[in-house]
Amino acid sequence: MDRLVNTVRPYAWGSTTAIPELLGVAPTGEPQAEMWMGAHPGAPSRTDRGPLNELIDADPVRELGPPTVEKFGPRLPFLLKVLAAGAPLSLQVHPDLAQARAGFAAEEAAGIPVDAPHRNYRDANHKPELICALTPFHGLCGFRDPAEAADTMAALGVDSLKPYVDLLHAHPEEAALREVLTALLTADRAEIAHTVTEAAHAAARLGGAHDTYARIAHHYPNDPGVLAAMLLNEVVLQPGEALYLGAGVPHAYLDGLGVEIMANSDNVLRCGLTPKHVDVPELLRVVRFEPNDPGVLRPEASPSGEELYDTPIDEFRLSRFVRAEGAVPTELTAPTPQILLAVAGRPAVGGLALAPGESAFVPAGEKTELSGAGTVFRATVVA
């Protein structure tokens, strides 16, 4: 197995303290948003044998195992992260697999460079993801009941919001949500900026349930995404709770520290809360306008002590072990590749002790076990 040395990405929305506290190091004063564990070419983990992506490229069957290569090809199908939000991330959705393949092929045929700022599809893969809270974790996920969104807007007492309030009371609900999001994203920029400013001031005065929108507007003044956020369910995860985000579900993370796992893709369509490109027609084609409960996940325990976060896709499987002093070792040998991430205590993978924030890659089929006290997340695939 290999101890991983991982890259921390300094995105502007990152917390300046959460990842350093996990790692037990002094903050630098700069934002530290995401620590990547995996073989993504943008920031592959490093090992004593070389970068993880190069190890896999050199011998995918040995590192990933025949079942994984047969099902997903010669690449690690998932990317594991520690995510630390100190400010809201962009409001976004991800395409399903068919949409990603079609969109990528169309942009390739059009000759759009893969790193162009206005490019939507940087690969041909979907990007389902799961976020599991390490601290109380605040986010927005999926559309709420349109009547509830209408009440939230109406309570602000802003005259220019009344047309949106009226639309949200229309039926069917899916059409009402589509019309309002379309209107927000295609409105005159100066007019919508004025509405956002008024709404933000009113939200700050009201406080309570409206405080979230005032805080979002503080980071993204004049952005129509502040109003779009009112269409979504607000969720606060407690440590150990998780959210699964499938294709077409609008979401944004607001603050907190969590473990995130996703299919190995970079495909993001943004709705707002960002200075980056927003392709409204393509976004509206991908978004699923279905009001629903965000569906908080809690892990399901097995006799071995492994607690599984059950999701409907195969590119990743996330579980955790919460081990007490004196617990018997747990066999971890598997025919698929694994990344083990410690977040508390000092457990050991094989003979490799892991402090909080440290991780290890276990190639497919390598005999290993988990011992010692602490909390460890296990990332692998279903193959």
Side-chain angles (χ1 to χ4, degrees):
M1 73 198 69
D2 301 274
R3 184 185 297 275
L4 298 179
V5 178
N6 304 306
T7 298
V8 175
R9 310 305 293 263
Y11 305 136
W13 50 262
S15 167
T16 58
T17 59
I19 289 178
E21 285 177 3
L22 176 67
L23 297 174
V25 300
T28 64
E30 299 298 318
Q32 297 188 36
E34 296 180 349
M35 182 171 70
W36 288 22
M37 290 155 281
H40 193 287
S45 298
R46 302 177 300 284
T47 75
D48 287 343
R49 295 188 289 150
L52 186 56
N53 60 329
E54 294 183 8
L55 298 183
I56 292 171
D57 288 345
D59 196 345
V61 173
R62 177 182 182 276
E63 303 294 340
L64 305 178
T68 300
V69 174
E70 182 177 347
K71 189 167 186 177
F72 301 108
R75 61 186 181 86
L76 188 66
F78 63 83
L79 176 63
L80 184 66
K81 300 179 180 180
V82 173
L83 183 147
L89 284 67
S90 62
L91 187 59
Q92 59 189 255
V93 297
H94 306 301
D96 63 27
L97 189 56
Q99 290 165 338
R101 287 172 173 169
F104 180 77
E107 290 186 327
E108 287 287 282
I112 302 173
V114 74
D115 58 352
H118 63 288
R119 176 128 183 182
N120 294 315
Y121 297 96
R122 303 186 187 279
D123 54 67
N125 200 17
H126 62 165
K127 192 185 178 186
E129 59 190 41
L130 178 76
I131 182 77
C132 178
L134 295 179
T135 66
F137 194 94
H138 192 187
L140 304 170
C141 178
F143 288 110
R144 65 202 294 198
D145 185 305
E148 293 178 6
D151 290 344
T152 297
M153 287 189 178
L156 296 171
V158 175
D159 287 345
S160 52
L161 286 176
K162 289 180 180 177
Y164 305 118
V165 172
D166 291 341
L167 282 172
L168 287 168
H169 284 301
H171 292 281
E173 293 180 333
E174 291 82 357
L177 290 167
R178 177 181 287 275
E179 284 194 47
V180 172
L181 186 62
T182 302
L184 290 174
L185 297 182
T186 57
D188 177 86
R189 296 296 294 185
E191 290 181 7
I192 200 68
H194 181 70
T195 298
V196 171
T197 298
E198 282 194 89
H201 289 161
R205 287 195 303 270
L206 284 173
H210 287 82
D211 185 59
T212 294
Y213 311 112
R215 289 188 285 113
I216 293 173
H218 171 74
H219 293 284
Y220 297 98
N222 306 325
D223 193 308
V226 175
L227 303 178
M230 297 180 190
L231 304 177
L232 305 185
N233 295 296
E234 188 173 354
V235 184
V236 179
L237 300 176
Q238 297 305 314
E241 295 181 334
L243 284 175
Y244 171 73
L245 300 161
V249 177
H251 60 278
Y253 301 146
L254 303 180
D255 61 74
L257 180 71
V259 174
E260 185 182 38
I261 189 168
M262 62 192 63
N264 204 352
S265 171
D266 241 355
N267 288 325
V268 176
L269 291 157
R270 295 176 177 84
C271 315
L273 310 183
T274 179
K276 295 182 179 179
H277 177 62
V278 177
D279 185 334
V280 176
E282 187 64 15
L283 171 71
L284 296 174
R285 193 177 72 83
V286 168
V287 172
R288 294 181 180 175
F289 291 93
E290 302 167 356
N292 53 43
D293 184 279
V296 173
L297 292 177
R298 295 172 182 85
E300 300 173 6
S302 70
S304 70
E306 184 175 22
E307 300 176 343
L308 175 66
Y309 293 91
D310 190 26
T311 57
I313 51 91
D314 293 344
E315 281 89 343
F316 61 76
R317 178 186 184 276
L318 186 71
S319 59
R320 71 172 184 172
F321 296 86
V322 182
R323 296 178 51 83
E325 289 285 352
V328 299
T330 302
E331 178 70 29
L332 292 182
T333 306
T336 53
Q338 305 176 68
I339 292 179
L340 286 302
L341 165 68
V343 297
R346 196 170 179 84
V349 178
L352 195 64
L354 298 177
E358 293 185 337
S359 55
F361 174 74
V362 182
E366 182 164 320
K367 185 172 177 58
T368 191
E369 63 181 18
L370 178 63
S371 60
T375 301
V376 177
F377 281 87
R378 181 191 199 187
T380 184
V381 304
V382 180

